[in-house]
Amino acid sequence: MTTGFSSNSCRFADYFVICGLDTESGLEPDELSALCQYIEATKFRDGARGLASADEGENFEQSPLRRTFKSKVLAHYPENVEWSPFDQDAVGMLCMPKGLAFRTQADTREPQFHSFIITREDGSRTYGFALTFYEEVTSKQICSAMQTLYHMHNRFNSYDISRDTLYVSKCICLIAPMAFPQACRKVLQQLHQAVSSPQPPPLPLESYVYNILYEVPLPPAGRSLKFSGVYGPVVCQRPSTAELPLFDFPISQVFELLGVENVLQLFTCALLEIQILLYSQHYQRLMTVAESITALMFPFQWQHVYVPILPASLLHFLDAPVPYLMGLHSNGEGDRTKLELPQEANLCFVDIDNHFIELPEDLPLFPNKLEFIQEISEVLLAFGVSPEGNPLHSQGQAKHWGFRSTDMVTDRRNGNLASSPLNSYLLRENETIARLQALVKRTGVSLEKLDVREDASSNKDLKVQCDEEELKMHQLNIQVREVFANRFTQMFADYEVFVIQPSQDKESWFSNRDQMQNFDKASFLSDQPEPYLPFLSRFLETQMFASFIDSKILCHDDEDKEHTLRVFDSRVDKIRMLNVRTPTLRTSMYQTCTNIDEAEKAIEMRVVKIDHTALHPHLLDMKIGQGRYEHGFFPRLQSDVLSTGPVSNKWAKRSAPAQWRRKDRQKQHAEHLYLDNDQREKYIQEARNLGTTIRQPKLSNLSPSVIAQTNWKFVEGLLKECRNKTKRMLVEKMGREAVELGHGEVSITGVEENTLIASLCDLLERIWSHGLQVKQGKSALWSHLLHYQESKEKTDAAPAGLGPPGLIHNTERRKSDAGAALPPLKVSLIRDMRHIQNIGEIKTDVGKARAWVRLSMEKKLLSRHLKKLLSDHELTKKLYKRYAFLRCDDEKEQFLYHLLSFNAVDYFCFTNVFTTIMIPYHVLVIPSKKLGGSMFTANPWVCVSGELAETGVLQIPKHTQEITFECQNLGKLTTVQMGHDNSGLYAKWLVEYVMVRNEITGHAYKFPCGRWLGKGVDDGSLERVLVGELVTPNSENEDRMCRTPPMQQSPGMMRRFVTISPNSKPKLNTGQIQEGVGEAINGIVKHFHKPEKERGSLTLLLCGEYGLVWALDQVFQHGFKSPRLFKNVFIWDFLEKSQVYFESAEQREVTPDENWQTRVCHFCQFMRAINSTSRNIGKDGKFQMLVCLGARDHLLHHWIALLADCPITVQMYEDTALIKDRSLVNSLIRVLQTLQEFNITLEASLVKGIGI
């Protein structure tokens, strides 16, 4: 995309370059690309793949005509330009990325045009445009050298000097500050035509080259320019500062090559900064696809390694463990399977020529993908481009361009076309299109009404100055780009609201850039429609988004703003004016693009009326005899006339004052923010790229030291990225944990947590694939783990089984402490791997590696496991090259130390993601020590419930009172229902607590009970519902650094009052009781104010320690008369008496009013339902059930009011009781009313057997 651009120049081109065969130095094999191919071949041979034939790669084995030889920059004019120093190595490599090519008269020798890009260290860019053609080799030496090579080779179809003509590739090239590929292509083709056509051109070649270098200016913003080539005029135009930035590559070609669906997938990968490798045998295709994808990202900019054409000698750069967008030239013979890529775990591979794209696993959908495809398809169809893509068309593009929808209309009138353009263009089989058509039907967009616009060029009164092909290209480009830009303006219409402005000055903001949060992601995401979240939450974590927001923070007024930001902001403001709805209200309604027409008009205006015309080429002051040249050969030009420009050129003057240039740099929408220079440099270093500052490999002849230095930069970058990622994940967790005082567990939203963990997995894969010796499988991390497993299993003769842990008998357990009742799970890297290998649902290596990372995070063992894995130094040495990250000891230690910090927080990233897998659970019932359970004769049972599922009734053997069972993942555990069948002589059971452990993740939950189960004891209950909490592992025997406190509410007021042992009921005063109710209600209110994905367990808030049931129990216990000495009276008894009273009152029809009647009716109905349930729940269990149902149906406050006025209350309560105090009851009713706005759903275990 032509934003980052270096020019202080206002000249159209900075250099004219000629590359080719240097006859003085003769034929030099291109050792670097040869070496690369040789290494590839030996890698095949030594690798795990067995022997592959050597000629797969080794350059010297190939037929001499097919080999690569070194090309040289033969000449460049002028020698140097101050604002853009000439980079000989880079230009030489990119003009002819594969070196020289030889052909004979039998081969095709069509000239090939391609463009390339050189990115400087400060991120600014220069563009190159090269035309490669073949010239006859006149040097006898070279011809005979080629013949000798053939003889050495013993080839039958050898080259014969007497019979064959030998041709070699040569290249002419323009280096320019801005990308005008169409104009440059014309200039170069006309120059080539001048030497290859029989008639010499009107003027010497020097005149034309001089003209393009010194007399043709860049068109000013918003203007068009016409200048002369050798044979015809060339027109180029540049958008104004209010339009989308300059872009001059044919986007239609990208859609023809790949199809809309693939382009959109590739676009999504680029936005999420996934490594992208483009693959094609045409350099220009690589460049067009790369530039188009980055241009469509407007207003965001690709921040990482960007090498649309990777020269053959830089193949090792594919090892880069950073996000990159690179283009790799295929020679057209090799198959994709032969391509050995160092890292594929998170790679998007695009085979451009074969219309094929390989995506990384679990790529999220782009928001509103179907409607978006539909909108793009309509634009393409109007230009006669099939949304399906048609790779064949893009070769003969020109033939198909003219066919536009205007022709379609006439064709339809003549009955030549099917009624719907979609039908005729698209292949039926494609499911995308089928979906599209279904969508079309649904949304009622009729394709009959497809906007078939009369062509601007068909209005005969418009005289267009450029050729029609080009105008069509510009029209299609701008339409597609507007549709894409509109997606972002809609999605981020109110982004400004969420930008966090720094509180300190810019200087200190710079120095702490890494630590600063610049965007309120959580609030932004909470406003978004659910389907957008998977994509958006990942996008907000990217470097390009961070840089975009940074530049927003740095520019206060419009003057400061860089071009893209200014254009984007003005569009956002426009949308805001149109949508007067509240800015924060989000809708997933799809809004189509509305400003296509005006954008197109602007372009048409410029090409109809040309604003500037450059000087015509003219004779130069050359000596007689200069400027003559041989037909068919592109000569070296006269450097003396081309070395400097004219003295009195109005364009040259312009670039004099530095101040003007500085303004110009801003105007020409340079990529960087303009601060003063030191700050700008600092900003580029610091803020631009938190990872590495490498944007493009150093394009020079690479010595081992340069390669080592590049890799060292990568190692440093990876470490920095690791530090930032771990910090970001901790801040997310800890920040929330600090804020969340109160009930329930804390966690960041599921989507956001998944995003962060996925990006951590991606980082680990990149680290593990850096400096790999031989690649095996798509996941480098999993491959390393498998090697480790294999070596360990050889050494361990008896591998540990996965069977359930041995049963520990009661007698032994009694001696030990109740807390250590469950023997700890053994920490074993191999066992965790086996758990993952046993999960049938995970099919791929990448998936297994990710699952293993999630499991290790959840068990807080990630750092420890990886340390163990890397402690096998022999294995690491065998698998990794010396420069690999994993063999840099200090960095590796620091890396493991960063990962250790994850142990400070609780993740459920395994349990919450793999919801359908089978998991073994271990249940253990701890009876009270005081009263021996050994006499217990009944048969106990339990039923375990979690957030995802429940088990059903499980019988427990009564002598061991523990059981291991396997069932589908229950999620986080919430309740255990337990009871017994009341059989035998002694069917009374005092249970202290129940422990349940997930045997894969090691999470253990404790469900306190402390009450009897049995008829005629306690409240006569045979079953109870226990609510549990996660227990922290007791880690004395482990060498962990930090331990997490269990996830629980902060010690609220209640915990401080209730310090008495739970068996003796504490006597609280009315103030404390009110506070208890307030805290319980508060916990529930907070629960509902969290985003849905973040909420903890509601059951805990209702029935857990100090929950709502407990609080209301305290209300009713206060001042409750207990008349009999030996028999407990329960609140349920009071409620039953009240029920009897109400029912008789109803019969007597003593009805104060209708309201009272409905309340009484409800109360009695619930009481009856609970009493008639088949379950053996005791009186306290029934009270719990009543409170839960009352909360669910928002009736609690009515019932409190009823009971306060009931005569039974007078009999059963002291005068000082809370329930008799009018003002206290009223405030209690008010507090309970706050629950009315929440939709409380109860867990099945709480209301089993009740049909209301």
Side-chain angles (χ1 to χ4, degrees):
M1 190 170 155
T2 45
T3 46
F5 110 86
S6 61
S7 138
N8 284 341
S9 125
C10 7
R11 306 206 300 225
F12 184 82
D14 291 335
Y15 296 99
F16 179 77
V17 187
I18 306 173
C19 295
L21 169 64
D22 184 2
T23 42
E24 265 88 273
S25 60
L27 279 183
E28 287 180 75
D30 186 351
E31 306 101 355
L32 267 168
S33 56
L35 180 74
C36 278
Q37 289 170 320
Y38 175 70
I39 289 169
E40 286 297 308
T42 49
K43 200 156 50 169
F44 264 113
R45 285 208 296 277
D46 311 342
R49 309 270 165 116
L51 252 154
S53 63
D55 64 6
E56 298 227 69
E58 192 179 338
N59 194 282
F60 305 106
E61 293 289 318
Q62 289 183 333
S63 124
L65 277 176
R66 291 285 164 267
R67 274 199 219 161
T68 46
F69 295 96
K70 236 185 209 157
S71 69
K72 292 251 171 84
V73 172
L74 303 176
H76 65 275
Y77 316 99
E79 201 45 46
N80 208 6
V81 183
E82 52 165 328
W83 58 83
S84 174
F86 187 74
D87 184 342
Q88 180 128 351
D89 287 333
V91 173
M93 268 186 184
L94 291 167
C95 276
M96 302 181 113
K98 281 229 157 138
L100 295 173
F102 285 90
R103 298 277 184 273
T104 63
Q105 77 283 0
D107 302 306
T108 56
R109 302 188 306 280
E110 280 297 298
Q112 290 291 329
F113 171 81
H114 77 270
S115 25
F116 57 85
I117 190 168
I118 298 174
T119 310
R120 298 210 185 75
E121 283 189 357
D122 67 351
S124 59
R125 294 173 173 184
T126 308
Y127 289 86
F129 303 95
L131 184 73
T132 308
F133 47 90
Y134 288 88
E135 278 185 356
E136 192 177 326
V137 179
T138 48
S139 152
K140 288 279 177 290
Q141 269 171 313
I142 294 216
C143 292
S144 52
M146 185 57 83
Q147 182 149 14
T148 318
L149 281 172
Y150 259 109
H151 283 311
M152 282 161 58
H153 232 269
N154 285 334
R155 297 270 168 150
F156 299 113
N157 55 348
S158 63
Y159 158 71
D160 183 341
I161 227 170
S162 56
R163 185 191 63 214
D164 296 319
T165 318
L166 187 63
Y167 292 89
V168 67
S169 55
K170 190 175 212 173
C171 169
I172 51 176
C173 165
L174 284 174
I175 304 288
M178 295 182 89
F180 289 105
Q182 308 308 321
C184 292
R185 175 187 229 145
K186 280 191 185 157
V187 170
L188 295 171
Q189 281 171 341
Q190 294 187 19
L191 279 170
H192 174 244
Q193 197 185 336
V195 289
S196 54
S197 66
Q199 255 59 49
L203 294 168
L205 287 178
E206 282 82 352
S207 296
Y208 300 107
V209 174
Y210 183 89
N211 181 253
I212 191 84
L213 285 178
Y214 299 112
E215 295 170 334
V216 176
L218 275 175
R223 300 298 171 87
S224 50
L225 169 77
K226 187 180 197 168
F227 60 94
S228 311
V230 182
Y231 296 111
V234 179
V235 172
C236 60
Q237 48 102 20
R238 183 173 153 192
S240 73
T241 46
E243 296 170 61
L244 292 179
L246 170 64
F247 180 76
D248 200 37
F249 290 83
I251 287 185
S252 64
Q253 202 180 348
V254 180
F255 286 102
E256 281 178 336
L257 288 165
L258 294 172
V260 179
E261 171 90 7
N262 284 342
V263 171
L264 203 51
Q265 299 282 39
L266 169 58
F267 181 63
T268 309
C269 290
L271 289 170
L272 299 180
E273 295 180 347
I274 285 164
Q275 290 183 326
I276 294 172
L277 186 60
L278 308 173
Y279 191 61
S280 166
Q281 45 183 329
H282 304 276
Y283 294 122
Q284 187 57 11
R285 284 185 181 179
L286 294 172
M287 187 71 179
T288 303
V289 172
E291 285 286 283
S292 300
I293 288 298
T294 48
L296 291 173
M297 288 176 174
F298 172 90
F300 304 103
Q301 285 162 356
W302 179 259
Q303 297 294 324
H304 299 276
V305 174
Y306 182 69
V307 191
I309 297 173
L310 188 67
S313 48
L314 288 182
L315 277 180
H316 73 275
F317 210 74
L318 290 172
D319 208 358
V322 290
Y324 58 65
L325 200 167
M326 298 205 234
L328 190 59
H329 184 264
S330 74
N331 51 13
E333 297 147 24
D335 173 18
R336 151 80 177 104
T337 48
K338 291 231 182 78
L339 196 62
E340 278 284 273
L341 300 172
Q343 203 224 313
E344 295 182 59
N346 206 22
L347 179 75
C348 168
F349 179 83
V350 186
D351 185 344
I352 299 175
D353 304 336
N354 295 317
H355 196 86
F356 163 73
I357 180 167
E358 246 176 64
L359 296 166
E361 291 179 26
D362 45 68
L363 183 71
L365 280 185
F366 192 78
N368 292 109
K369 184 175 161 192
L370 283 180
E371 294 94 324
F372 191 24
I373 286 183
Q374 158 79 6
E375 190 178 2
I376 302 165
S377 303
E378 288 181 9
V379 170
L380 295 175
L381 282 170
F383 283 87
V385 177
S386 156
E388 270 300 83
N390 184 345
L392 305 172
H393 279 193
S394 46
Q395 270 107 2
Q397 206 187 5
K399 299 188 198 72
H400 298 269
W401 258 117
F403 176 74
R404 204 179 160 180
S405 50
T406 28
D407 316 355
M408 258 162 47
V409 175
T410 51
D411 267 7
R412 192 181 304 158
R413 282 190 219 112
N414 311 342
N416 299 345
L417 263 188
S419 59
S420 151
L422 262 182
N423 295 353
S424 55
Y425 275 106
L426 310 177
L427 309 172
R428 288 263 90 56
E429 301 82 67
N430 186 314
E431 55 169 318
T432 315
I433 298 301
R435 290 208 305 271
L436 226 165
Q437 286 181 315
L439 176 98
V440 170
K441 286 207 184 75
R442 239 192 7 263
T443 49
V445 176
S446 149
L447 286 170
E448 309 304 318
K449 303 205 259 322
L450 188 61
D451 179 19
V452 176
R453 302 165 326 121
E454 287 298 317
D455 218 306
S457 50
S458 64
N459 300 359
K460 292 291 171 273
D461 48 337
L462 275 184
K463 182 81 187 74
V464 181
Q465 301 286 321
C466 66
D467 53 13
E468 226 162 282
E469 303 300 312
E470 215 169 304
L471 177 62
K472 292 237 173 71
M473 183 203 84
H474 288 310
Q475 287 171 329
L476 175 64
N477 275 8
I478 198 67
Q479 290 202 23
V480 172
R481 291 175 66 205
E482 286 290 353
V483 168
F484 273 79
N486 175 54
R487 286 291 7 95
F488 288 120
T489 37
Q490 298 288 350
M491 255 190 275
F492 292 99
D494 48 3
Y495 83 100
E496 284 183 52
V497 185
F498 301 98
V499 173
I500 302 169
Q501 288 294 347
S503 45
Q504 69 275 66
D505 59 303
K506 293 233 172 105
E507 256 309 295
S508 43
W509 182 77
F510 271 138
S511 38
N512 301 315
R513 175 64 205 88
D514 291 5
Q515 283 81 40
M516 310 298 293
Q517 278 284 16
N518 62 5
F519 192 73
D520 184 355
K521 295 172 183 162
S523 311
F524 178 79
L525 289 172
S526 63
D527 273 0
Q528 299 293 335
E530 185 80 15
Y532 292 11
L533 294 179
F535 170 80
L536 280 176
S537 61
R538 278 179 67 175
F539 180 63
L540 298 190
E541 295 300 322
T542 56
Q543 189 60 46
M544 72 176 77
F545 186 75
S547 298
F548 174 73
I549 299 297
D550 282 353
S551 60
K552 177 73 182 167
I553 289 174
L554 285 169
C555 314
H556 286 309
D557 46 7
D558 269 3
E559 273 310 291
D560 274 357
K561 281 186 191 170
E562 52 174 295
H563 173 240
T564 38
L565 187 65
R566 197 165 52 240
V567 176
F568 185 70
D569 280 354
S570 68
R571 290 168 171 235
V572 163
D573 295 341
K574 205 156 132 195
I575 281 198
R576 283 230 187 96
M577 307 238 311
L578 292 172
N579 296 359
V580 200
R581 61 188 168 87
T582 46
T584 48
L585 192 69
R586 275 303 153 68
T587 152
S588 46
M589 274 287 295
Y590 188 82
Q591 314 261 341
T592 50
C593 183
T594 51
N595 51 348
I596 288 183
D597 287 349
E598 58 182 290
E600 217 175 339
K601 285 264 171 7
I603 292 177
E604 281 165 15
M605 294 292 291
R606 285 196 289 272
V607 279
V608 168
K609 181 179 159 299
I610 299 291
D611 300 299
H612 301 279
T613 306
L615 279 173
H616 284 288
H618 49 86
L619 272 172
L620 300 174
D621 185 12
M622 287 174 28
K623 298 185 184 68
I624 294 178
Q626 287 186 336
R628 298 238 179 97
Y629 50 87
E630 212 179 325
H631 167 62
F633 293 92
F634 202 96
R636 295 209 180 185
L637 304 173
Q638 300 301 321
S639 54
D640 51 349
V641 286
L642 293 178
S643 61
T644 50
V647 190
S648 63
N649 178 344
K650 60 175 181 168
W651 300 107
K653 252 197 223 119
R654 263 179 133 178
S655 62
Q659 197 184 357
W660 191 91
R661 260 193 236 164
R662 197 178 293 156
K663 276 252 169 42
D664 187 47
R665 165 172 278 162
Q666 260 188 322
K667 275 209 195 84
Q668 289 171 324
H669 45 272
E671 182 170 61
H672 304 307
L673 312 168
Y674 168 66
L675 300 149
D676 64 46
N677 265 350
D678 310 343
Q679 268 188 323
R680 175 166 169 268
E681 286 314 302
K682 190 166 169 192
Y683 180 65
I684 289 159
Q685 293 309 312
E686 290 299 314
R688 254 309 154 188
N689 211 334
L690 296 178
T692 84
T693 46
I694 298 181
R695 293 290 180 84
Q696 180 169 347
K698 192 94 188 82
L699 298 177
S700 59
N701 285 339
L702 288 161
S703 58
S705 66
V706 173
I707 292 183
Q709 194 191 349
T710 306
N711 278 301
W712 178 239
K713 267 194 163 163
F714 283 148
V715 168
E716 287 184 311
L718 285 171
L719 189 61
K720 193 167 181 193
E721 192 180 345
C722 175
R723 187 175 65 235
N724 289 326
K725 280 221 159 78
T726 46
K727 192 162 178 185
R728 162 99 173 85
M729 288 169 77
L730 284 174
V731 165
E732 270 297 343
K733 277 288 211 188
M734 300 295 247
R736 308 262 167 125
E737 298 206 358
V739 175
E740 310 283 350
L741 297 170
H743 280 289
E745 59 277 68
V746 288
S747 67
I748 47 185
T749 62
V751 175
E752 211 168 340
E753 175 166 302
N754 272 339
T755 301
L756 292 173
I757 285 175
S759 80
L760 174 74
C761 292
D762 168 38
L763 174 65
L764 292 176
E765 284 292 1
R766 292 207 310 259
I767 287 175
W768 254 258
S769 59
H770 183 236
L772 255 185
Q773 295 274 16
V774 177
K775 185 171 162 295
Q776 297 168 335
K778 282 202 168 183
S779 162
L781 173 58
W782 190 248
S783 153
H784 192 168
L785 284 165
L786 289 173
H787 281 291
Y788 177 80
Q789 188 179 22
E790 201 179 318
S791 67
K792 279 290 163 280
E793 282 176 352
K794 277 184 195 144
T795 50
D796 306 351
L802 248 186
L807 301 175
I808 298 177
H809 290 288
N810 267 354
T811 47
E812 297 168 80
R813 181 176 312 114
R814 284 237 176 70
K815 294 172 204 148
S816 73
D817 173 48
L822 279 172
L825 283 176
K826 192 164 153 266
V827 174
S828 152
L829 167 61
I830 304 280
R831 180 176 285 195
D832 283 350
M833 279 185 70
R834 290 227 203 95
H835 284 311
I836 301 299
Q837 285 160 330
N838 290 340
I839 299 175
E841 286 91 331
I842 307 175
K843 304 278 189 278
T844 61
D845 286 356
V846 177
K848 285 175 182 154
R850 286 184 183 176
W852 181 84
V853 171
R854 284 173 177 278
L855 178 58
S856 309
M857 291 270 293
E858 188 160 324
K859 294 177 88 159
K860 303 191 179 181
L861 292 172
L862 183 60
S863 182
R864 191 170 165 180
H865 276 347
L866 292 178
K867 189 174 185 174
K868 183 99 178 134
L869 174 66
L870 296 171
S871 63
D872 186 339
H873 296 295
E874 284 312 303
L875 179 61
T876 316
K877 257 197 192 119
K878 193 176 99 188
L879 297 177
Y880 288 91
K881 297 181 185 134
R882 182 63 203 95
Y883 65 73
F885 183 94
L886 296 177
R887 287 185 62 188
C888 302
D889 293 335
D890 290 355
E891 281 65 32
K892 186 175 75 185
E893 282 308 307
Q894 288 185 52
F895 158 70
L896 292 170
Y897 183 76
H898 287 314
L899 293 184
L900 198 57
S901 55
F902 287 137
N903 294 4
V905 289
D906 290 303
Y907 280 100
F908 285 89
C909 49
F910 179 82
T911 310
N912 290 345
V913 168
F914 298 102
T915 51
T916 56
I917 60 174
M918 298 302 284
I919 289 185
Y921 289 91
H922 189 74
V923 178
L924 172 63
V925 181
I926 309 287
S928 168
K929 287 187 221 152
K930 297 188 212 108
L931 299 149
S934 47
M935 298 134 57
F936 177 56
T937 56
N939 298 303
W941 57 267
V942 294
C943 168
V944 184
S945 306
E947 288 182 351
L948 298 172
E950 70 168 33
T951 56
V953 170
L954 303 161
Q955 296 300 329
I956 299 183
K958 55 174 171 253
H959 52 290
T960 59
Q961 302 197 355
E962 70 178 308
I963 173 182
T964 300
F965 62 91
E966 199 176 53
C967 70
Q968 195 171 329
N969 185 354
L970 300 170
K972 290 184 208 165
L973 303 187
T974 49
T975 61
V976 164
Q977 302 158 59
M978 62 174 306
H980 60 78
D981 61 358
N982 202 25
S983 59
L985 295 171
Y986 189 75
K988 296 184 176 68
W989 195 24
L990 179 57
V991 175
E992 198 142 310
Y993 60 89
V994 178
M995 294 292 295
V996 183
R997 183 173 65 198
N998 177 326
E999 295 292 281
I1000 290 185
T1001 65
H1003 283 314
Y1005 294 81
K1006 181 176 182 178
F1007 296 87
C1009 177
R1011 301 196 55 177
W1012 285 93
L1013 285 93
K1015 287 273 187 244
V1017 48
D1018 202 335
D1019 66 348
S1021 190
L1022 288 186
E1023 57 177 278
R1024 292 190 185 281
V1025 178
L1026 311 179
V1027 179
E1029 288 196 271
L1030 188 64
V1031 189
T1032 330
N1034 186 8
S1035 43
E1036 294 136 23
N1037 53 349
E1038 299 182 16
D1039 54 348
R1040 294 209 204 146
M1041 264 191 27
C1042 45
R1043 303 212 299 267
T1044 325
M1047 297 201 299
Q1048 57 195 25
Q1049 68 189 107
S1050 60
M1053 297 298 290
M1054 293 333 297
R1055 253 164 233 256
R1056 280 173 268 151
F1057 297 141
V1058 187
T1059 44
I1060 314 150
S1061 76
N1063 301 356
S1064 66
K1065 294 213 175 136
K1067 288 278 179 271
L1068 301 182
N1069 64 33
T1070 51
Q1072 291 166 334
I1073 291 174
Q1074 277 183 293
E1075 195 148 352
V1077 174
E1079 271 189 27
I1081 298 283
N1082 210 0
I1084 296 173
V1085 171
K1086 267 194 201 162
H1087 169 90
F1088 282 103
H1089 276 294
K1090 287 185 212 167
E1092 203 161 326
K1093 295 261 164 59
E1094 283 182 45
R1095 296 174 185 172
S1097 157
L1098 185 58
T1099 309
L1100 204 58
L1101 301 179
L1102 292 169
C1103 313
E1105 210 178 1
Y1106 312 122
L1108 183 63
V1109 173
W1110 172 85
L1112 289 178
D1113 187 58
Q1114 295 303 316
V1115 168
F1116 284 110
Q1117 292 287 358
H1118 188 259
F1120 191 47
K1121 293 180 187 169
S1122 185
R1124 274 159 269 183
L1125 284 173
F1126 303 109
K1127 190 160 182 263
N1128 260 341
V1129 179
F1130 291 91
I1131 295 172
W1132 190 252
D1133 299 328
F1134 157 68
L1135 293 173
E1136 281 181 328
K1137 284 188 176 168
S1138 307
Q1139 178 198 353
V1140 171
Y1141 165 78
F1142 287 138
E1143 281 171 343
S1144 62
E1146 266 192 305
Q1147 260 115 49
R1148 295 199 306 277
E1149 290 178 9
V1150 191
T1151 51
D1153 61 20
E1154 218 167 294
N1155 265 347
W1156 187 86
Q1157 225 170 352
T1158 44
R1159 287 172 192 179
V1160 162
C1161 179
H1162 277 140
F1163 177 72
C1164 297
Q1165 181 189 359
F1166 278 91
M1167 291 290 294
R1168 281 194 298 271
I1170 292 171
N1171 268 328
S1172 60
T1173 172
S1174 54
R1175 291 170 71 182
N1176 291 305
I1177 35 180
K1179 293 179 175 176
D1180 284 352
K1182 290 179 178 174
F1183 175 71
Q1184 172 171 304
M1185 209 179 249
L1186 183 71
V1187 173
C1188 291
L1189 289 167
R1192 182 193 73 184
D1193 295 352
H1194 308 131
L1195 297 169
L1196 288 176
H1197 55 286
H1198 294 321
W1199 293 347
I1200 297 277
L1202 270 185
L1203 293 167
D1205 292 340
C1206 176
I1208 307 291
T1209 313
V1210 182
Q1211 299 164 22
M1212 297 186 73
Y1213 280 88
E1214 313 277 353
D1215 288 347
T1216 54
L1218 187 151
I1219 194 93
K1220 285 189 175 176
D1221 183 324
R1222 187 44 76 210
S1223 63
L1224 290 180
V1225 167
N1226 284 343
S1227 71
L1228 177 63
I1229 288 173
R1230 274 200 302 281
V1231 173
L1232 287 171
Q1233 275 173 331
T1234 53
L1235 292 182
Q1236 275 185 283
E1237 54 189 286
F1238 305 119
N1239 183 9
I1240 295 178
T1241 346
L1242 299 178
E1243 204 175 309
S1245 57
L1246 298 180
V1247 290
K1248 239 188 205 154
I1250 304 280
I1252 302 180

